[in-house]
């Protein structure tokens, strides 16, 4: 057993307690402090040390605190007889660096604590933790054009061991770089105990390596053993423009037809070593020597080719080919980096160039020549001049020669024969000789035509050559029509209203003339007739003058004659109607006159309507007077009625139908009597005939309708009555819209109705003789689609209903129920 060296002396003051008048003396205890190495592999338990006491009596030892009954529990135990301390398991320094315990010594005889002391057990650290990177992996991105000496990445690591010992300190080192290239080298520069930065020297080249993988190690300085870990840095390089584009050739026809535009004529190929699809690879083209801007060049995003397109049509007769130059650059500026030396120092010797504003590479860009041929095609002929103006006076006779058209063919290699034709000529004013181009008038021209604008009439003309295919040129002929005095001045209004006053009043009158000066205004006005002391014009010359009414003019409508002459003396006498009224009641005399005329028409209409109504009443009274009073029975038109006692009618009808109800004259008879046809109040003769026929037809139809209704009331078949009633209503509706030409057809219809009525009045045939037909026996249910559904009310019949009958049924009711007579 190994005895540990005594490291610490403790002074112990022992308090003595008097028992049975006995006083104990102070004693001094001497104990040891202990050390435990972390992660000691054992075997367990092993002896840590012994606490030795100078005593004359027996004691028991006890131990409490960390490592015994507190965390970490059950690491230490003490032999209560001899004071030996034993270790039973491992202790981690990174968790517990010191165990604090309490030691007690108890008198065996009295079992009382004789001594209580503090004990410390120190945990000794060992190198059991390697440095750890945070994060374990790094990603970095650098531009290819980045200058050497820039920071690639900053790395950080930590160690769980005691940083005050070699076990907890560490250093960084680059283990490997993949791939290895001769243009760049990486190195580390620590910036603290646990931080380091990665730098590079040289020139980055995307084409040699677009990604570098750098492995960095962190290793501690442990005495017995050295622990380490590694981290990986992935550095991605972004391609930049360190290779110049170069035009390698061209494809395409390299030619264009004259007058063509918007077509592709050429493609230019380019080579670039930079990464395809990157801005350093994308080409940007420029055209040189194209002052007229005939072409444009764009980059094909897929192939990086330069596409040349014709912007503006070219003329073969002017130039048979066009020579331009093309240059190419990239979308991002060019740079270069060249290593000139590799000295043993932090950075190498390099030579760099960066393109920028006012700074370009000598001899760049290079120009690539391009020639584009122009092909001749059949050009359309051209009018000379394209817009031609000719003058002619209006009212010139038909067929007057206006001009001779001229045209030229700009082609040098194609035929120059052509002919003329007319295009847009709205009013067909001209004709064109197709061979000679002579233009003639096709009608008498009128300057006042609404088709003219500023006295000019435009015609579109065409000239067509005989090429393959034939081409057409367009020209314009403007005919300027001169004015003649061929229009008379006319008053703007020919009705006026003026107020009745006790002094002279005036109003404005204005004339218009479609001719232009000097054939129009100013006009000369002159009143004709007996107007002295009543009317005058002041002034008599001008476009608008005053019509003066003297105070002697009475109210009413005055018809004046006024002569209006234009500036050349051409005149027209016109009627002017002036209404004079009292303006205190009606501000506008003209409106008052119109309103009065309207009221008169309404009164006439009312009188005519009243006369016709009176005539209709007289005719109805005459028809009613021919009837003989008959006793009538109730019909079954209303559901729920009951048959009461009544008289029995004999065969026949209530009234005889005359052979001819109304005698109507035909149109031929009316035409044979011209003295009966005249006009009245603006109504034509044809309208008078039509009105007479309508009235006669209405009277005849009304009588036949009444007879037909009375005959059908005796027929028990309700459906037949409704059908006949509808026919009569339709006849009346047709009557309201018939014309004189249809009169004969209406007469035929009346004759047919007469025949039907005579059949209904024949003795024994008014109701018809029919054989009985059995539809169902009593108690049986049968549905016949020919029968209508009949609904019978449940309520009882009230005889008092007979007291409220209309006057037609009063006689019948008195016969059936004498007790109801009043």
């Amino acid at each position: 057993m190994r005895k540990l060296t005594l490291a610490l002396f403790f002074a112990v003051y022992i308090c003595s307690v008097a028992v049975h008048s006995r006083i104990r003396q102070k004693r001094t205890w001497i104990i040891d402090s202990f050390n435990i190495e972390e992660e000691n592999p054992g075997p367990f338990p092993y002896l840590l040390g012994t606490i030795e006491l100078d005593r004359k009596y027996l004691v028991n030892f006890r131990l409490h605190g960390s490592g015994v009954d507190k965390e970490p529990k059950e690491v230490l135990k003490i032999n209560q007889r001899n004071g030996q301390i034993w270790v039973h398991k491992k202790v981690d320094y990174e968790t517990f660096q010191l165990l604090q315990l309490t030691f007690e010594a108890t008198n065996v005889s009295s079992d009382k604590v004789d001594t209580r002391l503090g004990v410390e057990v120190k945990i000794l650290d060992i190198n059991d933790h390697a440095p750890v990177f945070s994060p374990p992996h790094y990603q970095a991105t650098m531009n290819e054009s980045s200058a050497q000496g820039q920071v690639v990445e900053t790395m950080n690591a930590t160690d769980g061991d005691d940083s005050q010992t070699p076990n907890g300190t560490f250093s960084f080192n680059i283990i490997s770089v993949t791939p290895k290239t001769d243009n760049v080298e990486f190195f580390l520069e620590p910036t603290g105990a646990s931080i380091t930065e990665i730098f590079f020297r040289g020139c980055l080249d995307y084409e040699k390596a677009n990604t570098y993988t750098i492995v960095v190690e962190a290793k501690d300085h442990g005495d017995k053993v050295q622990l380490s870990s590694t981290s990986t840095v992935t550095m991605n390089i972004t391609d930049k423009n360190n290779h110049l584009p170069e035009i390698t050739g061209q494809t395409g026809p390299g030619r264009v037809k004259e007058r063509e535009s918007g077509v592709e004529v050429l493609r230019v190929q380019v080579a670039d070593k930079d990464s395809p699809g990157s801005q350093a690879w994308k080409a940007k083209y420029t055209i040189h020597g194209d002052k007229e801007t005939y072409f444009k060049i764009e980059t094909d995003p897929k192939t990086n080719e330069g596409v040349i397109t014709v912007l503006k049509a070219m003329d073969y007769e002017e130039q048979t080919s066009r020579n331009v130059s093309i240059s190419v650059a990239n979308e991002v500026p060019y740079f270069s980096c060249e290593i000139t030396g590799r000295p043993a120092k932090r950075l190498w010797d390099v030579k760099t160039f960066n393109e920028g504003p006012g700074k370009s590479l000598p001899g760049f860009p290079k120009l690539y020549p391009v020639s584009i041929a122009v092909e001749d095609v059949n050009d359309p002929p051209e009018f000379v001049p394209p817009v031609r103006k000719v003058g002619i006076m209006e009212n010139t006779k038909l067929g007057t020669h206006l001009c001779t058209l001229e045209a030229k063919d700009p082609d040098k290699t194609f035929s120059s024969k052509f002919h003329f034709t007319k295009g847009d000529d709205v009013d067909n004013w001209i004709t064109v000789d197709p061979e000679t181009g002579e233009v003639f008038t096709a009608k008498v021209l009128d300057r006042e035509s609404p088709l003219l604008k500023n006295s000019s009439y435009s015609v579109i003309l065409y000239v067509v050559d005989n090429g393959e295919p034939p081409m057409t040129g367009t020209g314009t002929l403007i005919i300027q029509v001169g004015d003649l005095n061929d229009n008379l001045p006319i008053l703007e209004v020919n009705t006026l209203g003026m107020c009745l006053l006790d002094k002279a009043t005036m109003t404005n009158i204005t004339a218009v003339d479609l001719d232009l000066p000097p054939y129009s205004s100013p006009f000369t006005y002159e009143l004709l007739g007996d107007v002295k002391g009543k009317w005058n014009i002041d002034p008599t010359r001008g476009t608008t003058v005053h019509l003066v009414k003297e105070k002697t003019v009475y109210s009413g409508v005055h018809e004046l004659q006024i002569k209006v002459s234009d500036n050349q003396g051409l005149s027209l006498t016109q009627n002017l109607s002036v209404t004079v009224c009292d303006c205190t009641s009606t501000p506008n005399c003209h409106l008052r006159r119109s309103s009065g005329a309207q009221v008169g028409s309404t009164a006439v209409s009312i009188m005519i309507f009243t006369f016709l109504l009176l005539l209709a009443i007289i005719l109805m009274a005459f028809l009613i007077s021919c009837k003989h009073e008959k006793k009538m029975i109730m019909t079954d038109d209303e559901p729920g009625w009951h048959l009461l006692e009544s008289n029995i009618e004999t065969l026949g009808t209530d009234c005889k139908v005359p052979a001819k109800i109304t005698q109507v004259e035909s149109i031929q008879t009316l035409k044979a009597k011209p003295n009966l046809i005249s006009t009245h109040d603006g109504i034509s003769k044809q309208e008078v005939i039509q009105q007479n026929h309508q009235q006669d037809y209405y009277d005849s139809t009304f009588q036949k309708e009444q007879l037909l209704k009375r005959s059908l009331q005796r027929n028990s078949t309700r459906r037949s009555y409704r059908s006949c009633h509808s026919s009569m209503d339709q006849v009346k509706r047709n009557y309201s819209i018939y014309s004189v030409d249809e009169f004969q057809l209406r007469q035929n219809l009346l004759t047919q109705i007469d025949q039907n009525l005579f059949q209904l009045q024949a003795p024994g045939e008014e109701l018809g003789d029919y054989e009985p037909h059995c539809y169902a026996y009593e108690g049986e249910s049968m549905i016949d689609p020919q029968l209508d559904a009949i609904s019978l009310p449940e309520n009882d019949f009230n005889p008092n209903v007979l007291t409220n009958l209309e006057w037609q049924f009063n006689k019948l009711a008195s016969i059936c129920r004498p007790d109801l007579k009043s």
Side-chain angles (χ1 to χ4, degrees):
M1 179 183 298
R2 181 175 61 86
K3 177 182 272 188
L4 300 177
T5 305
L6 183 63
L8 181 64
F9 296 94
F10 294 93
V12 179
Y13 178 75
I14 302 175
C15 296
S16 302
V17 180
V19 179
H20 300 290
S21 301
R22 182 180 176 180
I23 300 175
R24 300 184 58 184
Q25 297 180 354
K26 183 192 301 182
R27 296 181 181 273
T28 301
W29 298 83
I30 300 174
I31 61 173
D32 295 331
S33 64
F34 308 96
N35 294 326
I36 298 178
E37 188 179 72
E38 70 165 333
E39 301 298 333
N40 191 323
F44 298 103
Y46 64 85
L47 181 63
L48 178 62
T50 302
I51 297 179
E52 297 180 354
L53 297 177
D54 183 14
R55 62 186 185 282
K56 298 295 184 179
Y57 53 87
L58 296 176
V59 294
N60 289 331
F61 300 98
R62 297 177 182 174
L63 198 62
H64 306 282
S66 300
V68 178
D69 52 5
K70 294 182 179 180
E71 294 295 337
K73 294 181 179 181
E74 297 181 355
V75 175
L76 302 175
K77 288 186 179 180
I78 188 171
N79 190 313
Q80 63 179 356
R81 295 299 181 183
N82 55 21
Q84 293 179 343
I85 299 176
W86 295 82
V87 179
H88 287 262
K89 61 182 181 180
K90 297 179 181 180
V91 180
D92 185 10
Y93 172 82
E94 284 69 34
T95 306
F96 301 97
Q97 290 81 30
L98 182 67
L99 303 180
Q100 295 179 340
L101 303 99
T102 300
F103 169 77
E104 293 179 350
T106 304
N107 192 322
V108 175
S109 59
S110 62
D111 196 24
K112 293 183 178 181
V113 176
D114 186 74
T115 302
R116 181 179 289 112
L117 300 174
V119 178
E120 290 185 351
V121 178
K122 187 177 182 180
I123 308 301
L124 301 178
D125 184 29
I126 63 172
N127 191 12
D128 60 344
H129 292 86
V132 178
F133 285 93
S134 178
H137 303 285
Y138 292 85
Q139 290 281 343
T141 301
M142 297 288 291
N143 288 329
E144 184 182 20
S145 58
S146 301
Q148 65 172 345
Q150 293 189 16
V151 177
V152 176
E153 189 60 84
T154 299
M155 306 183 69
N156 182 45
T158 57
D159 195 320
D161 293 324
D162 188 358
S163 61
Q164 304 299 321
T165 64
N167 296 335
T169 59
F170 52 88
S171 58
F172 298 94
N173 184 36
I174 293 179
I175 300 299
S176 64
V177 177
T178 305
K180 280 189 171 294
T181 57
D182 58 354
N183 59 294
V184 69
E185 188 176 273
F186 298 92
F187 60 93
L188 299 175
E189 288 185 355
T191 58
S194 60
I195 301 175
T196 188
E197 293 179 338
I198 303 177
F199 297 84
F200 80 93
R201 48 177 163 255
C203 298
L204 297 176
D205 191 342
Y206 180 88
E207 285 68 39
K208 289 186 176 181
N210 55 22
T211 302
Y212 285 97
T213 302
I214 307 169
V215 179
V216 179
E217 178 190 56
K219 188 175 184 179
D220 65 23
H221 305 147
D223 296 330
K224 298 180 180 180
V225 60
Q226 294 179 341
L227 302 179
S228 63
S229 63
T230 60
S231 178
T232 301
V233 179
T234 302
M235 188 185 77
N236 298 309
I237 299 176
T238 302
D239 191 19
K240 291 297 179 180
N241 187 20
N242 63 333
H243 295 89
L244 293 172
E246 182 179 355
I247 296 177
T248 59
Q250 66 182 48
T251 59
R255 60 181 57 249
V256 62
K257 294 180 180 180
E258 64 173 337
R259 299 196 315 277
E260 268 192 343
S261 62
V263 295
E264 177 185 321
V265 293
L266 206 64
R267 280 180 173 255
V268 178
Q269 282 77 45
V270 67
D272 195 321
K273 296 181 181 179
D274 289 316
S275 176
S278 66
Q279 290 184 322
W281 174 82
K282 293 180 179 179
K284 184 173 61 176
Y285 298 89
T286 305
I287 297 179
H288 303 270
D290 185 24
K291 296 181 180 180
E292 297 85 358
T293 318
Y294 283 106
F295 308 100
K296 72 172 181 179
I297 186 167
E298 296 176 315
T299 304
D300 188 323
K302 295 182 179 180
T303 63
N304 214 28
E305 295 176 320
V307 182
I308 300 177
T309 306
V310 178
L311 276 181
K312 189 164 55 177
M314 292 173 284
D315 190 354
Y316 175 83
E317 283 69 31
E318 294 181 1
Q319 193 170 354
T320 60
S321 64
R322 297 280 176 174
N323 298 318
V324 295
S325 299
I326 308 297
S327 66
V328 63
N330 294 118
E331 292 184 356
V332 293
Y334 170 77
F335 86 96
S336 64
C337 180
E338 181 183 358
I339 300 173
T340 58
R342 292 178 174 82
K345 57 182 181 179
R346 185 173 181 271
L347 300 178
W348 292 348
D349 297 333
V350 297
K351 180 182 178 180
T352 61
F353 173 81
N354 288 282
E355 185 182 12
K359 187 178 182 181
S360 59
L361 192 67
F364 186 82
K366 296 180 180 180
L367 298 181
Y368 181 82
V370 172
S371 180
I372 299 174
V374 181
E375 295 181 350
D376 189 22
V377 296
N378 184 21
D379 291 313
E382 300 173 355
F383 280 97
V384 181
V387 179
R388 187 163 188 171
K389 296 181 181 180
V390 296
I392 187 172
M393 297 302 294
E394 66 174 332
N395 302 328
T396 303
K397 65 178 181 178
L398 179 69
T400 301
H401 182 270
L402 288 176
C403 65
T404 300
L405 302 176
E406 296 181 7
K408 67 175 183 178
D409 195 335
D411 280 322
K412 297 179 180 178
T413 58
F414 290 88
S415 174
S416 59
K417 290 185 178 182
F418 40 78
H419 64 275
F420 300 93
T421 182
K422 185 175 67 171
D424 188 12
D425 181 6
V426 179
D427 204 23
N428 293 318
W429 273 25
I430 66 169
T431 59
V432 180
D433 190 306
E435 300 299 331
T436 63
E438 291 182 302
V439 182
F440 300 91
T441 59
K443 59 172 55 178
V444 177
L445 309 185
D446 182 12
R447 193 205 64 83
E448 288 74 33
S449 171
L451 300 176
L452 272 68
K453 184 177 182 181
N454 297 327
S455 300
S456 297
Y457 180 82
S458 298
V459 180
I460 303 299
L461 301 171
Y462 300 121
V463 55
V464 184
D465 65 14
N466 58 349
E468 290 294 337
M471 302 301 293
T472 302
T474 304
T476 303
L477 176 63
I478 299 177
I479 304 174
Q480 296 176 329
V481 183
D483 191 21
L484 293 177
N485 193 8
D486 58 346
N487 290 279
L488 298 174
I490 301 175
L491 293 176
E492 279 189 344
V493 294
N494 57 6
T495 58
L496 295 174
M498 300 185 71
C499 295
L500 182 65
L501 298 175
D502 56 357
K503 61 179 180 179
T505 58
M506 65 178 62
T507 186
N508 293 334
I509 56 175
T510 303
V512 293
D513 193 329
L514 297 179
D515 292 325
L516 296 176
Y519 304 122
S520 57
S521 62
F523 306 115
T524 301
Y525 296 84
E526 180 184 359
L527 285 174
L528 305 179
D530 184 16
V531 295
K532 187 175 181 180
K534 302 177 181 178
W535 305 91
N536 66 81
I537 293 177
D538 184 27
T540 60
R541 187 170 176 81
T543 303
T544 300
V545 296
H546 301 304
L547 174 64
V548 181
K549 176 184 71 65
E550 301 296 341
K551 62 180 181 180
T552 59
V553 177
Y554 55 87
S555 62
V557 179
H558 301 266
E559 301 293 339
L560 305 178
Q561 281 192 331
I562 183 169
K563 178 181 178 182
V564 184
S565 306
D566 63 17
N567 199 27
Q568 301 298 321
L570 192 62
S571 63
L572 176 65
T573 301
Q574 305 166 60
N575 292 328
L576 179 63
S577 179
V578 182
T579 302
V580 180
C581 69
D582 185 3
C583 295
T584 57
S585 58
T586 303
N588 195 319
C589 297
H590 180 65
L591 291 179
R592 178 180 178 182
R593 180 185 179 187
S594 301
S595 175
Q598 181 177 3
V599 172
S601 301
T602 304
V604 172
S605 301
I606 294 176
M607 292 175 61
I608 294 175
F609 175 77
T610 305
F611 174 76
L612 295 176
L613 181 62
L614 181 60
L615 181 61
I617 294 175
I618 294 174
L619 291 176
M620 290 179 63
F622 174 75
L623 293 176
I624 294 174
S625 64
C626 76
K627 295 178 55 179
H628 296 284
E629 184 177 357
K630 296 291 183 179
K631 298 179 181 180
M632 301 179 64
I633 61 173
M634 298 174 58
T635 65
D636 59 345
D637 287 346
E638 293 296 331
W641 288 14
H642 296 264
L643 181 63
L644 303 180
E645 58 180 312
S646 64
N647 65 327
I648 298 175
E649 288 190 289
T650 60
L651 298 178
T653 59
D654 296 335
C655 184
K656 294 292 183 180
V657 180
K660 195 77 171 179
I661 297 178
T662 304
Q663 184 68 29
V664 182
E665 294 188 57
S666 64
I667 298 178
Q668 290 78 7
T669 306
L670 290 175
K671 288 183 178 179
K673 299 178 182 180
N675 57 331
L676 298 179
I677 304 176
S678 61
T679 58
H680 178 68
D681 292 338
I683 302 177
S684 65
K685 299 179 179 180
Q686 187 74 10
E687 292 174 341
V688 172
I689 297 173
Q690 180 175 348
Q691 291 178 359
N692 294 334
H693 285 312
Q694 288 178 347
Q695 184 62 42
D696 295 338
Y697 176 76
Y698 176 81
D699 296 339
S700 173
T701 304
F702 179 80
Q703 294 180 10
K704 294 178 181 180
E705 179 184 1
Q706 298 301 319
L707 292 175
L708 183 60
K709 284 185 177 180
R710 285 195 293 270
S711 299
L712 291 176
Q713 285 175 354
R714 299 169 184 173
N715 193 338
S716 60
T717 307
R718 190 177 306 170
R719 183 181 304 171
S720 300
Y721 167 77
R722 291 173 180 171
S723 176
C724 293
H725 191 278
S726 300
S727 299
M728 294 303 298
D729 291 340
Q730 183 64 33
V731 169
K732 290 198 294 183
R733 286 194 294 270
N734 293 339
Y735 153 75
S736 61
I737 60 173
Y738 89 104
S739 64
V740 174
D741 294 337
E742 298 173 331
F743 183 72
Q744 190 63 38
L745 179 61
R746 303 299 180 181
Q747 278 191 321
N748 295 336
L749 180 60
L750 291 175
T751 302
Q752 184 177 357
I753 295 176
D754 291 339
Q755 294 174 358
N756 294 335
L757 291 176
F758 279 119
Q759 291 177 2
L760 290 174
Q761 72 173 355
E765 297 182 1
E766 55 184 357
L767 299 179
D769 297 329
Y770 300 98
E771 292 295 331
H773 178 72
C774 179
Y775 290 95
Y777 293 100
E778 184 177 0
E780 294 182 353
S781 176
M782 178 178 179
I783 298 176
D784 193 322
Q786 297 179 353
L787 299 180
D788 295 333
I790 299 176
S791 176
L792 298 177
E794 297 295 336
N795 59 318
D796 296 334
F797 172 69
N798 184 9
N800 294 329
V801 72
L802 297 177
T803 62
N804 297 321
L805 295 175
E806 295 181 357
W807 63 272
Q808 297 95 328
F809 301 95
N810 289 338
K811 188 66 175 177
L812 178 61
S814 62
I815 296 174
C816 297
R817 295 289 301 274
D819 57 305
L820 296 179
K821 293 183 180 179
S822 55

